[in-house]
C-alpha cells in the first residue's frame, strides 16, 4: 500500500510540475514527497528566443535546474515592470494583450513563490520599435514619432 501511495504522489505531482525536483521522505510506515526548494537564487533563464510561428510570436528559453515555474514580467509605458503571467514550462505564446508592452523578462521561481526566487533574465523586445524625439534648436523635446 505504501509503495502505491508514493508512486501515485510522484506521478500526480510530476504531471503538474514537470521540472520540479521532488525529495522522497520516509518516516516509519509513512512515505511522502516534498519539493526541493534551493536556498540560493536561481540563475537567470538563458537562450531566450522570440520566434514567429504562423503569425504568432513564441518565446522559449532553456530550463533552469530545479525551477518549478517561470514568471513573465512586462515593461509598461511608464517604465515599471509588471508581473504578467506564470508559466509552468519553457515556452510561451504571446497573447494579443501583450502588444501594448515593449519588453519582457523572465524569472525562474521555486515551487512555493516567485518573490525574490531568481535573477532576472535580460530584457527582450517583443516588437522592435524606434521612437524619434524631435527637438527645437535649443534641444527641448517638441514631438515624438514612431517607426516599427
Amino acid at each position: 500500500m505504501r509503495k502505491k501511495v508514493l508512486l501515485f504522489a510522484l506521478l500526480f505531482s510530476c504531471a503538474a510540475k514537470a521540472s520540479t525536483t521532488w525529495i522522497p521522505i520516509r518516516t516509519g510506515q509513512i512515505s511522502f514527497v516534498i519539493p526541493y526548494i534551493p536556498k540560493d537564487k536561481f540563475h537567470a533563464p538563458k537562450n531566450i528566443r522570440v520566434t514567429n510561428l504562423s503569425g504568432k510570436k513564441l518565446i522559449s528559453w532553456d530550463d533552469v535546474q530545479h525551477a518549478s515555474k517561470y514568471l513573465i514580467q512586462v515593461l509598461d509605458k511608464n517604465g515599471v515592470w509588471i508581473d504578467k503571467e506564470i508559466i509552468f514550462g519553457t515556452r510561451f505564446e504571446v497573447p494579443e494583450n501583450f502588444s501594448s508592452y515593449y519588453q519582457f523578462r523572465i524569472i525562474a521561481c521555486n515551487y512555493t513563490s516567485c518573490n525574490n526566487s531568481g535573477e532576472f533574465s535580460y530584457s527582450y523586445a517583443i516588437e522592435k520599435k524606434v521612437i524619434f524625439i524631435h527637438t527645437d534648436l535649443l534641444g527641448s523635446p517638441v514631438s515624438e514619432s514612431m517607426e516599427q
Side-chain angles (χ1 to χ4, degrees), residues 117-137:
S117 63
E119 299 172 359
F120 304 111
S121 69
Y122 291 115
S123 61
Y124 292 85
I126 296 173
E127 292 183 18
K128 295 186 181 191
K129 298 179 181 181
V130 179
I131 299 174
F132 296 99
I133 300 175
H134 307 281
T135 61
D136 61 13
L137 291 176

Side-chain angles (χ1 to χ4, degrees), residues 1-2 19 27 49 51 65 69 79 90 95 112 119 132 134:
M1 174 66 178
R2 154 179 63 179
S19 60
T27 312
R49 300 165 297 282
T51 54
Q65 185 178 15
K69 53 191 168 189
T90 58
T112 59
E119 299 172 359
F132 296 99
H134 307 281

Side-chain angles (χ1 to χ4, degrees), residues 1 6 8 15-16 23 28 39 52 63 66-68 70 76 84 100-101 105 118-120 127 134 141 146:
M1 174 66 178
L6 180 60
F8 177 77
I23 302 170
K39 62 180 179 171
N52 283 324
D63 190 30
H66 305 302
S68 298
Y70 298 90
D76 72 358
K84 193 65 175 167
S100 61
Y101 302 108
R105 66 184 182 186
E119 299 172 359
F120 304 111
E127 292 183 18
H134 307 281
M146 187 179 302

